[in-house]
């Protein structure tokens, strides 16, 4: 099985289940033109986040790691007109591109991008949130997760991106800081009685990876 096949199937699923979306296409194009790395969630993953947010009846969503605002748009679209999405991004240039993309998506009224290192910003972020999407620097996954649980309402959910890492996550001897960050996240969750979680491996246009889904009891 090849990455080509995974991408072909993703293209098929996008066509069948999502269809043309000029706003998201413009966001991808603007992000590419600005030289941002091609590491946003895929369309099918973005729509999954959107559906998770709707499934928990989300009114307030926190995102850690904005990039060009692609996943932020999917999440913000799940919110009511008086909802709120707060997204944290360390890179001011990326934050500016994300703000433009969110404005073009007519979501600037409910989505705000805050600039800084997430660990510095989180103490001033006010909860409660219904959903938190963690997708920033992987070595800090456990730190972000702990902060997210504090900010989450009971029954709220946390999604963590990139927990598969092409299978490297199964290697307990890995010296890769991102793999270690994911593994530390797992032990943090296992030791936290406030949450229950699972994780799924994924293949698709973004390769072989996975996401974690946790719920506050
Ligand atoms: N969620 C986005 C992709 C995020 S990529 C999407 O799917 O569309 C990860 C982002 O996290 C990058 O833009 C990177 O600049 C940002 N980041 C890295 N370290 C960070 C930190 N310490 N605090 C906040 N953001 C950080
Ligand atoms: C990387 C980060 C991501 O959030 C992602 O989805 C894929 C790759 C990275 O830093 O390489
Ligand atoms: Mg990611």
């Amino acid at each position: 099985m090849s990455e080509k096949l995974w991408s072909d199937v993703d293209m098929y699923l996008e066509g069948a289940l999502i269809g043309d979306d000029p706003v998201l296409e413009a966001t991808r194009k603007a992000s590419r033109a600005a030289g941002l790395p091609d590491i946003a969630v895929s369309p099918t993953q973005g729509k999954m986040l959107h559906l998770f947010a709707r499934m928990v009846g989300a009114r307030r969503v926190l995102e850690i790691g904005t990039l060009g605002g692609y996943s932020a748009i999917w999440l913000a679209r799940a919110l009511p007109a008086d909802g709120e999405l707060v997204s944290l991004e360390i890179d001011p240039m990326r934050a500016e591109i994300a703000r433009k993309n969110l404005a073009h998506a007519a979501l600037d009224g409910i989505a705000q991008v805050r600039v800084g290192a997430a660990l510095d910003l989180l103490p001033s972020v006010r909860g409660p949130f219904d959903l938190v999407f963690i997708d920033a620097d992987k070595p800090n996954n456990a730190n972000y997760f702990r902060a997210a649980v504090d900010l989450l309402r009971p029954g709220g959910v946390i999604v963590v991106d990139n927990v598969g890492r092409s299978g490297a996550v199964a290697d307990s001897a890995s010296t890769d800081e991102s793999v270690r960050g994911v593994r530390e996240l797992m032990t943090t969750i296992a030791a936290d009685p406030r949450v229950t979680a699972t994780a799924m491996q994924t293949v698709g246009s973004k390769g072989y990876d996975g996401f974690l889904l946790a719920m506050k009891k």
Side-chain angles (χ1 to χ4, degrees), residues 3 47 52 54 82 88-89 92-93 105 131 146 185 203:
E3 300 228 9
K47 189 158 184 188
F52 282 163
R54 290 178 60 180
D82 63 344
L88 313 181
E89 171 56 52
M93 191 269 265
L131 184 150
R146 276 186 287 268
L185 170 68
V203 295

Side-chain angles (χ1 to χ4, degrees), residues 39-41 65-67 70-71 89-90 94 116-118 135-137 144:
I39 57 174
V41 296
T66 319
L67 192 65
Y70 183 82
S71 53
E89 171 56 52
I90 198 169
R94 293 177 176 187
D135 190 20
D137 49 321
Y144 296 151

Side-chain angles (χ1 to χ4, degrees), residues 74-170:
W74 272 115
L75 286 164
R77 280 178 172 178
L79 303 178
D82 63 344
E84 188 179 24
L85 176 128
V86 177
S87 188
L88 313 181
E89 171 56 52
I90 198 169
D91 182 325
M93 191 269 265
R94 293 177 176 187
E96 205 41 50
I97 292 162
R99 287 187 186 118
K100 286 205 183 98
N101 287 330
L102 285 158
H104 183 245
L107 293 164
D108 45 334
I110 59 172
Q112 48 166 298
V113 183
R114 299 189 194 169
V115 179
L119 279 183
D120 295 337
L121 296 174
L122 278 165
S124 62
V125 171
R126 265 252 224 118
F129 291 93
D130 306 291
L131 184 150
V132 182
F133 179 46
I134 299 174
D135 190 20
D137 49 321
K138 313 311 173 190
N140 271 316
N141 266 341
N143 293 325
Y144 296 151
F145 189 89
R146 276 186 287 268
V149 178
D150 291 341
L151 291 167
L152 208 61
R153 67 147 162 98
V157 301
I158 301 173
V159 182
V160 186
D161 196 24
N162 311 119
V163 301
R165 311 219 61 100
S166 301
V169 76

Side-chain angles (χ1 to χ4, degrees), residues 200-215:
M200 300 303 301
Q201 303 181 66
T202 56
V203 295
S205 58
K206 297 291 170 143
Y208 170 29
D209 212 319
F211 67 90
L212 180 135
L213 180 65
M215 182 177 178

